[in-house]
């Protein structure tokens, strides 16, 4: 991959692999010998970046050229640039099935999404419109949580939720909208696999590649797995697509994307190597083709989205904001202490409770009972959080 760079700059590029990258490199950084160019471990505090990495430029100079230029920045100076980015909060689908069912535009509301699933079932009775993968619910149910922030259209959604002391589930708001959609789909046995309790994750990969399954809520990471299964079975990998969460705000759809690891230059190497290291990062992002090969989003502003993200054309992308000083980790602490478990999947978790209530046909009353219980736990824990109260008091 690096032959072109080596020829252009008359150098040799060597790579080093690690079993546990963040841990191993963090240990190496206690010395000056931690490579020339490296992915910056998240263990390095932003205020400490200048102790380990060479400045790549001022944020004001780089922000219009590179996405996520603020991810490894301190006091206006950028020390790392993302090698690629990814989309979170979308839905995998078989494009051929959806198109052959007569669906020409992607759904922008929950009602449209369910109507499309029904079209698929009507057109193809043997196809499973939506596959729950409920047997693996400890992690598959959590995929729905990834739709929440994108559907909000608000980079500060999590901070606003706790600072404004809003209920976790409020009708018309993101958590309610996302999990009510999940509940409504799971409540309709014609739209899902016959026995969700015995679903098969590994088998479902081939099923969606074949078009036996039309749709699954998964991160964009799943696209490459589904496409590889298609290739391995002489099927068309281009049939695998990824669509934005079917929600709109003020008539517009939003999508969340995020930087992967950021590349930086070791400040302890010779000056000529520093310059070469900077050129390597620029080349890796702009010319290597790595992000395209991995199905990632290229860091260069204005770069074309990967083909499998064509359904995201017209979406407004944003990156979730970090919590302000004084609230770092507070949202996650409230989630953990309340045992709401946005990302966990034990048997007492609200996502699994919702799924089981839906399968049992408990209707809107079943959804409301679970939502009310979650609201009570969330509010009690939130209101008892001393850091949140101190922040609210200090910031009016």
């Amino acid at each position: 991959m690096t032959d072109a760079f080596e020829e252009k700059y008359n150098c040799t590029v060597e790579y080093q692999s690690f079993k546990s990258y963040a841990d191993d490199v963090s240990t190496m950084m206690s010395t000056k010998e931690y490579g020339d160019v490296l992915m910056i471990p998240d263990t390095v505090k932003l205020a400490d970046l200048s102790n380990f990495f060479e400045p790549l430029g001022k944020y004001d100079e780089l922000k219009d050229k590179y996405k996520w230029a603020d991810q490894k920045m301190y006091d206006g100076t950028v020390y790392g640039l993302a090698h690629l980015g990814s989309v979170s909060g979308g839905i995998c689908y078989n494009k051929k099935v959806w198109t052959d069912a007569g669906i020409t535009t992607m759904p922008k509301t929950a009602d449209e999404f369910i109507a499309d699933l029904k079209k698929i079932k009507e057109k193809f009775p043997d196809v499973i419109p939506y596959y729950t993968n409920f047997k693996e619910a400890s992690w598959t149910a959590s995929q729905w949580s990834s739709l929440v922030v994108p559907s909000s259209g608000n980079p500060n959604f999590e901070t606003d939720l706790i600072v404004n002391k809003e209920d976790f589930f409020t009708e018309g708001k993101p958590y309610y909208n996302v999990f009510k959609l999940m509940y409504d789909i799971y409540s309709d046995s014609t739209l899902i696999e016959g026995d969700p309790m015995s679903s098969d994750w590994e088998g479902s990969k081939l099923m969606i590649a074949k078009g036996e399954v039309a749709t699954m809520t998964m991160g964009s990471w799943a696209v490459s797995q589904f496409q590889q299964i298609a290739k391995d079975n002489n099927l068309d990998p281009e049939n695998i697509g990824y669509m934005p969460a079917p929600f709109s705000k003020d008539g517009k759809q939003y999508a969340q994307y995020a930087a992967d690891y950021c590349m930086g230059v070791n400040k302890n190497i010779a000056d000529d190597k520093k310059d070469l290291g900077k050129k390597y990062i620029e080349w890796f992002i702009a010319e290597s083709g790595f992000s395209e090969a991995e199905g990632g989003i290229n860091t260069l502003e204005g770069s074309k989205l990967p083909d499998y993200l064509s359904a995201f054309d017209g979406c407004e992308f944003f990156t979730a904001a970090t919590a302000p000083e004084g609230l770092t980790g507070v949202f996650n602490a409230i989630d953990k202490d309340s045992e709401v478990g946005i990302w966990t999947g034990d048997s007492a978790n609200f996502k699994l409770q919702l799924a089981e209530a839906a399968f049992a046909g408990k209707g809107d009353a079943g959804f409301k009972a679970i939502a009310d219980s979650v609201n009570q736990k969330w509010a009690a824990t939130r209101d008892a959080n001393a850091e949140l109260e101190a922040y609210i008091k200090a910031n009016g």
Side-chain angles (χ1 to χ4, degrees):
M1 183 185 76
T2 53
D3 290 351
F5 181 83
E6 292 175 327
E7 184 176 345
K8 184 175 183 179
Y9 292 102
N10 190 28
C11 65
T12 300
V13 178
E14 296 180 354
Y15 293 94
Q16 185 175 1
S17 61
F18 300 89
K19 288 186 177 180
S20 178
Y21 182 82
D23 292 338
D24 293 345
V25 173
S26 295
T27 299
M28 291 172 64
M29 289 175 67
S30 62
T31 73
K32 294 183 179 180
E33 302 294 329
Y34 44 92
D36 299 336
V37 177
L38 62 152
M39 303 295 181
I40 301 175
D42 288 336
T43 53
V44 181
K45 296 179 180 179
L46 296 181
D48 293 336
L49 287 169
S50 63
N51 296 329
F52 299 98
F53 297 98
E54 188 69 10
L56 300 182
K58 293 294 184 181
Y59 175 69
D60 287 344
E61 299 167 349
L62 298 174
K63 65 180 181 180
D64 293 330
K65 184 175 182 180
Y66 297 105
K67 303 179 184 75
W68 312 295
D70 61 342
Q71 295 298 293
K72 296 301 177 184
M73 176 188 75
Y74 186 73
D75 197 22
T77 298
V78 175
Y79 295 91
L81 293 170
H83 76 289
L84 55 76
S86 61
V87 173
S88 62
I91 297 173
C92 293
Y93 70 112
N94 185 298
K95 293 189 287 187
K96 187 176 188 304
V97 171
W98 276 65
T99 300
D100 289 352
I103 301 166
T104 57
T105 58
M106 290 293 96
K108 294 184 177 181
T109 68
D111 287 345
E112 290 175 358
F113 186 75
I114 290 178
D116 287 341
L117 295 182
K118 290 181 176 179
K119 285 181 184 177
I120 291 168
K121 191 63 178 180
E122 183 178 354
K123 179 73 174 179
F124 305 112
D126 293 333
V127 170
I128 301 170
Y130 185 92
Y131 200 80
T132 71
N133 261 305
F134 185 73
K135 187 179 178 182
E136 305 289 339
S138 60
W139 67 270
T140 56
S142 297
Q143 302 300 303
W144 283 90
S145 295
S146 68
L147 305 185
V148 173
V149 175
S151 72
S152 75
N154 177 11
N156 296 294
F157 169 74
E158 291 185 344
T159 294
D160 289 348
L161 183 70
I162 57 175
V163 170
N164 297 334
K165 296 200 170 184
E166 299 174 6
D167 280 343
F168 189 87
F169 283 115
T170 300
E171 189 169 357
K173 295 295 183 71
Y175 275 109
Y176 184 100
N177 293 344
V178 167
F179 286 100
K180 187 60 164 63
L181 173 59
M182 184 193 86
Y183 188 83
D184 289 344
I185 293 171
Y186 287 15
S187 295
D188 188 338
S189 61
T190 69
L191 300 182
I192 60 177
E193 63 266 39
D195 181 14
M197 304 297 179
S198 61
S199 55
D200 177 14
W201 161 240
E202 291 299 330
S204 72
K205 297 178 186 180
L206 181 57
M207 292 170 74
I208 195 169
K210 285 183 173 180
E212 297 171 353
V213 163
T215 324
M216 281 192 270
T217 299
M218 289 286 159
S220 61
W221 54 267
V223 173
S224 60
Q225 292 193 27
F226 297 159
Q227 290 181 332
Q228 187 60 52
I229 287 288
K231 292 176 185 176
D232 293 344
N233 289 273
N234 297 315
L235 300 167
D236 188 356
E238 296 303 314
N239 286 339
I240 303 298
Y242 199 62
M243 73 171 78
F247 303 99
S248 303
K249 180 182 178 183
D250 300 325
K252 181 180 291 186
Q253 272 189 297
Y254 292 84
Q256 180 185 359
Y257 61 5
D260 207 306
Y261 268 117
C262 293
M263 305 173 73
V265 176
N266 184 344
K267 69 168 292 183
N268 298 296
I269 60 178
D271 287 344
D272 60 335
K273 277 195 169 184
K274 290 177 184 177
D275 291 338
L276 188 60
K278 292 177 184 179
K279 289 183 173 64
Y280 177 80
I281 292 174
E282 293 170 357
W283 173 85
F284 190 91
I285 292 171
E287 301 179 45
S288 72
F290 181 83
S291 63
E292 291 78 6
E294 294 297 310
I297 297 175
N298 193 287
T299 304
L300 282 177
E301 286 286 6
S303 55
K304 183 178 179 294
L305 289 175
D307 290 341
Y308 75 87
L309 292 177
S310 60
F312 284 75
D313 287 345
C315 284
E316 184 169 319
F317 283 86
F318 68 88
T319 301
T322 55
E325 186 175 351
L327 284 183
T328 302
V330 171
F331 184 92
N332 290 337
I334 294 170
D335 178 40
K336 180 179 179 181
D337 294 345
S338 67
E339 297 183 346
V340 166
I342 295 169
W343 297 103
T344 55
D346 59 85
S347 60
N349 185 267
F350 76 92
K351 298 183 296 297
L352 274 65
Q353 290 179 344
L354 286 172
E356 290 167 350
F359 297 150
K362 294 189 176 181
D364 288 346
F367 182 89
K368 185 178 185 303
I370 295 168
D372 287 347
S373 174
V374 171
N375 282 343
Q376 291 171 12
K377 292 194 297 183
W378 182 267
T381 307
R382 177 200 63 207
D383 293 347
N385 187 284
E387 288 180 85
L388 175 60
E389 291 304 309
Y391 177 86
I392 292 173
K393 184 177 181 180
N395 292 273

